[in-house]
Amino acid sequence: MAENYPFFSNQSAKVFVAGHRGLVGSAIVRKLQSLGFTNLLLRTHAELDLTLQSDVESFFAAEKPLYVILAAAKVGGIHANNTYPADFIAVNLQIQTNVIDSSYRHGVKKILFLGSSCIYPKFAPQPIPENALLSGPLEPTNEWYAVAKIAGIKMCQAYRIQYKFDAISAMPTNLYGPNDNFHPENSHVLPALIRRFHEAKVEGAKQVVVWGTGSPLREFLHVDDLADAVVFLMEEYSGLEHVNIGSGKEVSIKELAVLVKEVVGFEGELVWDSSKPDGTPRKLMDSSKLANLGWSPKISLKDGLVDTYKWYLKNIKQ
């Protein structure tokens, strides 16, 4: 179990970060490198297709990682989930099953599986505690993805119960930061706002129109804080239940839009189109379990937005 394998003092150990090019995986790689880990195993999708069991098995047999952080997943917004439901359930189940099972079979000391806050029921209590899992029906628009992620949590639990395998799961809130998806059609609210205000600034537009009233409350966590929490859990946590990772701070969409407008430097007007839908009124995770273990986020929303906009300017071609 975890106590026997202190993570931080094992910087030469092989650590397989699955999904190292994504928003989450890339932040975890940056964090591990900054801590002096020198033996990270990184494979692109072209080099290793995690949906192919025989390929994953061969990789683990050859490389024998000591630790695994599973941040690889097929992700997408409502439109993608509605259009490709088979992909969202099948690909994620394949990735998780192959990586978790091969980790156990090839002597991995500890694996951390990353899920998402969408695993919780549509009408979960707010803030959402870990024990709200499976207490009610899911949001129908992303249930394919959510069911796969729930299966991943349950698989980690089952391998812990049956094999005493040190498999843990963490569920992050809404994330943002470097390497986020800024696509005009299918990005999440925060990167979408950054892009829209930036484009309006460049074009010299008089106003930016945002859907809804701006009243819904949301929680955001900078991905570098998530990476810090993941490394903390690798060192400190070894338990059956998954752990929520959130900022614990709520912001209204209106406050968020005003902050993004300020960070980007858009001088025009912000207009709300209240004929458009608002979405869920409140979505906040209860991260008190993680706080009680001794972890708290370090990056304020303002600082995180400044950092993310800098990355956007440097990396996103207009």
Side-chain angles (χ1 to χ4, degrees):
M1 289 296 190
E3 308 79 274
N4 308 329
Y5 306 104
F7 183 65
F8 285 141
S9 57
N10 213 347
Q11 289 160 341
S12 61
K14 282 187 176 179
V15 183
F16 175 38
V17 181
H20 74 282
R21 282 184 157 179
L23 171 68
V24 172
S26 59
I28 291 167
V29 168
R30 287 195 301 273
K31 181 69 186 175
L32 290 171
Q33 287 171 338
S34 75
L35 290 168
F37 281 81
T38 53
N39 216 341
L40 302 183
L41 295 176
L42 309 174
R43 295 291 184 275
T44 64
H45 179 70
E47 293 166 332
L48 175 61
D49 185 343
L50 296 174
T51 66
L52 300 176
Q53 185 181 12
S54 58
D55 291 18
V56 175
E57 189 73 20
S58 301
F59 166 77
F60 273 84
E63 294 293 346
K64 295 248 184 290
L66 199 61
Y67 300 104
V68 175
I69 298 170
L70 180 43
K74 181 174 179 62
V75 296
I78 291 172
H79 177 70
N81 268 271
N82 283 338
T83 314
Y84 310 108
D87 293 357
F88 278 92
I89 194 162
V91 169
N92 284 304
L93 284 173
Q94 287 163 343
I95 291 171
Q96 295 159 198
T97 305
N98 294 341
V99 174
I100 294 168
D101 187 67
S102 282
S103 294
Y104 163 68
R105 292 189 187 284
H106 292 281
V108 167
K109 296 289 178 247
K110 184 168 194 167
I111 182 171
L112 185 146
F113 168 69
L114 278 157
S116 149
S117 58
C118 77
I119 61 164
Y120 290 113
K122 182 171 183 171
F123 300 111
Q126 300 289 336
I128 309 170
E130 282 89 355
N131 66 11
L133 184 65
L134 295 175
S135 64
L138 298 164
E139 167 59 61
T141 51
N142 62 12
E143 69 177 341
W144 319 105
Y145 177 75
V147 164
K149 287 292 177 185
I150 292 167
I153 296 173
K154 290 296 165 189
M155 191 166 173
C156 287
Q157 292 177 342
Y159 275 60
R160 176 177 287 275
I161 292 165
Q162 187 171 334
Y163 300 125
K164 304 288 183 280
F165 181 41
D166 196 5
I168 62 173
S169 302
M171 301 298 122
T173 187
N174 301 312
L175 301 166
Y176 72 100
N179 292 309
D180 206 343
N181 170 19
F182 291 89
H183 190 279
E185 269 85 60
N186 60 16
S187 57
H188 292 122
V189 60
L190 192 150
L193 286 171
I194 289 177
R195 184 188 181 109
R196 292 192 56 202
F197 280 114
H198 174 77
E199 288 178 349
K201 181 174 92 164
V202 170
E203 292 157 11
K206 295 278 188 285
Q207 61 177 43
V208 167
V209 179
V210 182
W211 278 26
T213 63
S215 65
L217 296 168
R218 292 292 180 270
E219 175 186 28
F220 297 97
L221 184 72
H222 192 285
V223 73
D224 288 346
D225 268 337
L226 171 68
D228 189 58
V230 161
V231 169
F232 174 85
L233 289 170
M234 287 294 286
E235 174 79 5
E236 299 289 341
Y237 184 69
S238 177
L240 191 66
E241 194 180 45
H242 62 282
V243 181
N244 285 344
I245 305 180
S247 65
K249 294 187 172 65
E250 287 180 293
V251 60
S252 72
I253 298 297
K254 185 170 275 182
E255 290 169 311
L256 177 68
V258 169
L259 202 51
V260 172
K261 178 177 183 280
E262 182 190 321
V263 166
V264 170
F266 173 67
E267 302 287 337
E269 192 188 357
L270 170 55
V271 178
W272 295 93
D273 180 359
S274 56
S275 71
K276 295 289 194 294
D278 262 337
T280 310
R282 186 181 188 210
K283 196 175 172 197
L284 173 69
M285 297 201 2
D286 180 348
S287 300
S288 56
K289 178 174 176 172
L290 180 59
N292 291 335
L293 288 168
W295 186 87
S296 57
K298 321 282 185 292
I299 303 167
S300 72
L301 184 58
K302 175 81 182 280
D303 290 346
L305 286 173
V306 169
D307 168 73
T308 305
Y309 185 50
K310 275 183 190 157
W311 185 90
Y312 175 85
L313 290 176
K314 210 160 90 179
N315 294 276
I316 302 290
K317 298 280 176 281
Q318 300 310 319

